[in-house]
Amino acid sequence: MMKKIFAAAVVLLTTMTVVSCSPSIEGNWEEKTTKITMNLYKDGSLSVSGSPYTEWQKDGDNLILTIKNEDSSSSDTFEIKQLTKTDMVLAQDGYELEFVRK
């Protein structure tokens, strides 16, 4: 019985460690080639240099950027191919954008 409890505790602690160590997507990012900056704020708002995007959300392995105005809204979905504390790679339609955290 103690072995089962110990094994369950190890699994739980390992899962908590992995979840708590996953890097946050929130923050300031700069695309490596174009130098476009993207700031993802905790409240779901964002600013992207030269872009009308107004909101963001993370849905699993996807980053959804939304443009909202008075009459309508539209969104673009990017696959999050990589996310570390310092790097992020987004993919859409066969293209990849590499970002570094600023």
Side-chain angles (χ1 to χ4, degrees):
M1 179 71 160
M2 285 300 283
K3 286 183 180 180
K4 287 183 180 180
I5 292 172
F6 180 74
V10 168
V11 169
L12 179 62
L13 288 173
T14 302
T15 303
M16 289 173 55
T17 302
V18 169
V19 169
S20 65
C21 292
S22 10
S24 172
I25 197 167
E26 296 167 5
N28 301 325
W29 298 93
E30 182 179 75
E31 205 281 323
K32 289 181 178 180
T33 305
T34 63
K35 304 297 184 197
I36 290 174
T37 59
M38 177 169 60
N39 300 314
L40 302 173
Y41 302 107
K42 189 175 188 172
D43 67 358
S45 65
L46 81 153
S47 63
V48 180
S49 54
S51 170
Y53 291 117
T54 56
E55 297 178 359
W56 71 275
Q57 74 178 50
K58 185 176 180 287
D59 182 17
D61 289 336
N62 292 314
L63 175 63
I64 302 167
L65 303 182
T66 303
I67 301 168
K68 282 191 175 181
N69 59 38
E70 295 173 5
D71 301 325
S72 65
S73 70
S74 64
S75 61
D76 287 310
T77 300
F78 298 86
E79 178 186 0
I80 303 168
K81 304 265 303 193
Q82 176 186 358
L83 179 60
T84 68
K85 289 181 181 181
T86 58
D87 298 286
M88 176 172 60
V89 178
L90 301 178
Q92 184 187 51
D93 299 329
Y95 294 100
E96 288 189 355
L97 299 167
E98 295 183 33
F99 290 84
V100 294
R101 191 179 295 272
K102 289 300 191 178

